[in-house]
Amino acid sequence: MRFSAADSMYHSRRSKGRPRGRARQRDALFRCRTAIIDTFRTFRIHHIVTQRQNQKIAVIGAGLSGICTAYFLAQAGCQVTLIEQHGNVAEQASLGNSGLIAAAGQMPSAAPGLRKKILSSLFNADSPILLSPTLSPALWGWLRKWVAQSQLERYRLNKTRMTQAALYGQQLLLQLQQQHMIDYQASAGVVQVFRHEAQLAAAAKLRAVLVDLNIAHSLLDAKQLRQLEPNLNPATALAGGWHFPQDGAGNCLFFIKQMKAIVQAMGVQSQFMQTVTALQSGEQGAVLTIDGAPHAFDAVVVAAGAGSNKLLKPLGIRIPTAIANSYAAVATIKNPEFAPRGAVLDADYKTAIVRLDERIRITGILDLQPGRRARAMHPQAMKTLLKIADDWYPDAANYNQASFWSGNVVMLPDGPPLIGATAAPNIFVHIDGSSDGWAASVGAAAALADLIGGRQPEIDVSGLQLTRYH
């Protein structure tokens, strides 16, 4: 039996000073009323779930967000169709994911000091953010929202929201790994390195967030960190850093490709090389226009990453996103004895160095310059990625033979995943605004499937929905 705060206060005010006999009668009536309400709510939720279990639901986008959403919807009994404009899964942002499976190590991009980084990017060639003074007014407006989220209190709130989704995602990944025998080259342990004492001091101020979330962590000085990760280049300045033993890394692309086979075996219909050009919403369902032909569904999940806003804007749904280019470099390990033991985050450059089997993957750099094509490599971005790898592990890999990737990623100003219903009936969204980790997206997908099915999610989703922007 549940009592709301409002009901409790009402009951307290009304029964104060009453004779004990009458108070007992009111207590009995109150409990009876509450039991009736609870019974009605349970029946209503069961009715909604029963309806949703047999519904036809389309998921637009076969990246990490889309494939995981399709899995959890199918697991709940929905008839799911996965629609992707490319020829296979994970052809865009998911392909360039850092590989971090991090609850503690995944941080909002809007962190304290962001304003200074944006200004310095205009003059610093190897900045982790690539900007130009000729940005459009709309993008400058988005940058103001981004900077506003870097205030310490906002950062703490956003970090908490990301972490709870990522912790849930880590649990689900373990379950998926065991249930379906998925191998995604998982490794344990993440360290975040600080080059400067000021960064180390600032990190200590955020310790309360990790303590509140019950996350295993250690704040280490330079000597302790080098003992933990002995292959760090001794010539590179190191003040200290975080160690997150329960975080890890894994090959996101391997995971998604195996999930593709799993969802197809569950009955999910996959439609590749199919472009959704229009989306219509109504009380009875939704209609997608795919290559000129209408297709009706009971509900639609838009998980199209950088293409999501194009579909949602005609419906009056505006999400504060920016489209950036992100970059990755992959090099073959030549000297395993000099390679990283675990995943390493460079706090100065917001860049991840992850060992995936016999390769090292370096990801980062946000390119917000106008006119940059999704597949076009920025020469300075390539130099910066290799510089960071050489700073920390100069003898580990053949960096001069590295392969590079570039692609569009969608950014949200605050960082946590965006899931849930929209103002348009039967239209839902799943947008992951972070490219430096993938556990949170898995957790968000499961929570979204619960919301669509009328079930109570396992985590608090109030800070993951569109209402956070209003």
Side-chain angles (χ1 to χ4, degrees):
M1 184 179 297
R2 295 179 302 222
F3 295 85
S4 71
D7 283 339
S8 297
M9 288 188 291
Y10 171 82
H11 179 62
S12 176
R13 287 195 303 266
R14 295 290 292 173
S15 61
K16 186 176 181 180
R18 298 280 187 181
R20 296 179 64 87
R22 296 187 63 184
R24 290 193 188 98
Q25 290 177 350
R26 295 194 64 87
D27 281 342
L29 289 172
F30 179 76
R31 286 193 295 270
C32 181
R33 181 176 70 91
T34 305
I36 293 171
I37 292 172
D38 278 350
T39 300
F40 173 76
R41 286 173 176 168
T42 301
F43 171 78
R44 182 173 179 271
I45 289 172
H46 175 75
H47 177 65
I48 293 171
V49 170
T50 302
Q51 284 185 316
R52 290 293 190 192
Q53 279 180 338
N54 298 316
Q55 281 198 330
K56 292 172 56 181
I57 300 181
V59 178
I60 305 173
L64 177 65
S65 299
I67 202 83
C68 290
T69 301
Y71 172 85
F72 290 113
L73 285 171
Q75 189 182 56
C78 298
Q79 301 175 44
V80 183
T81 300
L82 187 64
I83 303 168
E84 170 57 50
Q85 64 177 338
H86 295 97
N88 205 343
V89 294
E91 290 279 310
Q92 277 292 323
S94 298
L95 186 60
N97 193 283
S98 69
L100 292 175
I101 307 172
Q106 188 175 10
M107 309 287 182
S109 60
L114 177 62
R115 186 188 301 272
K116 183 179 178 181
K117 281 190 177 293
I118 289 176
L119 292 174
S120 67
S121 71
L122 300 174
F123 310 101
N124 185 2
D126 63 354
S127 170
I129 303 171
L130 300 177
L131 281 174
S132 168
T134 59
L135 296 180
S136 68
L139 190 49
W140 277 116
W142 185 88
L143 287 175
R144 286 194 293 271
K145 295 177 182 177
W146 193 30
V147 171
Q149 293 292 332
S150 69
Q151 297 176 9
L152 185 57
E153 288 306 312
R154 294 299 308 175
Y155 176 83
R156 285 175 172 167
L157 176 61
N158 294 331
K159 170 59 182 165
T160 299
R161 290 171 172 174
M162 290 180 75
T163 299
Q164 66 156 354
L167 285 171
Y168 184 38
Q170 286 179 331
Q171 296 173 10
L172 292 169
L173 281 169
L174 287 174
Q175 294 174 14
L176 289 168
Q177 189 178 31
Q178 294 168 2
Q179 182 178 351
H180 299 289
M181 304 300 291
I182 300 175
D183 177 15
Y184 48 86
Q185 300 176 337
S187 62
V190 172
V191 296
Q192 184 178 30
V193 294
F194 300 115
R195 297 175 184 244
H196 312 292
E197 292 291 342
Q199 293 173 323
L200 191 63
K205 297 179 182 178
L206 298 173
R207 194 166 207 162
V209 177
L210 301 176
V211 172
D212 289 344
L213 293 169
N214 197 28
I215 292 176
H217 65 281
S218 300
L219 188 59
L220 308 177
D221 61 25
K223 182 179 179 181
Q224 292 170 321
L225 198 56
R226 291 192 188 279
Q227 290 174 344
L228 181 68
E229 186 65 39
N231 293 335
L232 289 170
N233 185 6
T236 299
L238 177 64
W242 290 113
H243 175 225
F244 303 118
Q246 294 178 358
D247 279 357
N251 193 318
C252 184
L253 180 59
F254 278 22
F255 173 79
I256 295 172
K257 287 188 173 181
Q258 290 172 83
M259 286 294 288
K260 172 188 173 183
I262 291 167
V263 299
Q264 287 177 338
M266 295 171 70
V268 172
Q269 300 297 310
S270 300
Q271 298 184 10
F272 293 100
M273 302 298 292
Q274 301 289 307
T275 301
V276 179
T277 55
L279 179 58
Q280 294 176 298
S281 166
E283 293 294 338
Q284 301 304 313
V287 176
L288 305 182
T289 302
I290 303 174
D291 294 330
H295 297 265
F297 293 91
D298 296 310
V300 170
V301 177
V302 179
S308 297
N309 256 350
K310 184 178 179 181
L311 293 171
L312 295 170
K313 278 184 179 179
L315 299 176
I317 303 165
R318 296 190 176 275
I319 299 173
T321 61
I323 307 303
N325 256 28
S326 185
Y327 302 95
V330 178
T332 302
I333 294 173
K334 65 177 180 178
N335 295 313
E337 67 274 20
F338 297 127
R341 292 187 175 182
V344 176
L345 294 171
D346 188 319
D348 210 36
Y349 286 92
K350 304 295 182 185
T351 300
I353 304 172
V354 175
R355 180 172 180 171
L356 296 173
D357 201 16
E358 299 302 319
R359 296 173 298 164
I360 292 177
R361 184 179 184 86
I362 312 104
T363 54
I365 314 297
L366 292 174
D367 184 356
L368 288 158
Q369 297 182 102
R372 180 68 59 185
R373 299 193 312 276
R375 297 294 185 184
M377 287 301 306
H378 193 297
Q380 186 55 54
M382 291 189 288
K383 290 180 182 178
T384 301
L385 288 177
L386 295 185
K387 171 196 176 302
I388 295 164
D390 191 65
D391 279 352
W392 296 114
Y393 299 99
D395 300 316
N398 295 308
Y399 298 123
N400 60 338
Q401 298 176 16
S403 59
F404 295 91
W405 173 89
S406 170
N408 283 155
V409 296
V410 62
M411 294 181 63
L412 295 166
D414 45 0
L418 179 63
I419 61 170
T422 67
N426 298 305
I427 304 296
F428 300 82
V429 294
H430 183 179
I431 298 175
D432 189 355
S434 173
S435 61
D436 63 352
W438 52 289
S441 189
V442 177
L448 175 58
D450 284 337
L451 287 173
I452 293 173
R455 299 177 297 276
Q456 181 67 37
E458 295 293 325
I459 59 173
D460 179 10
V461 296
S462 59
L464 304 181
Q465 301 187 75
L466 266 171
T467 50
R468 75 192 200 220
Y469 296 124
H470 304 295

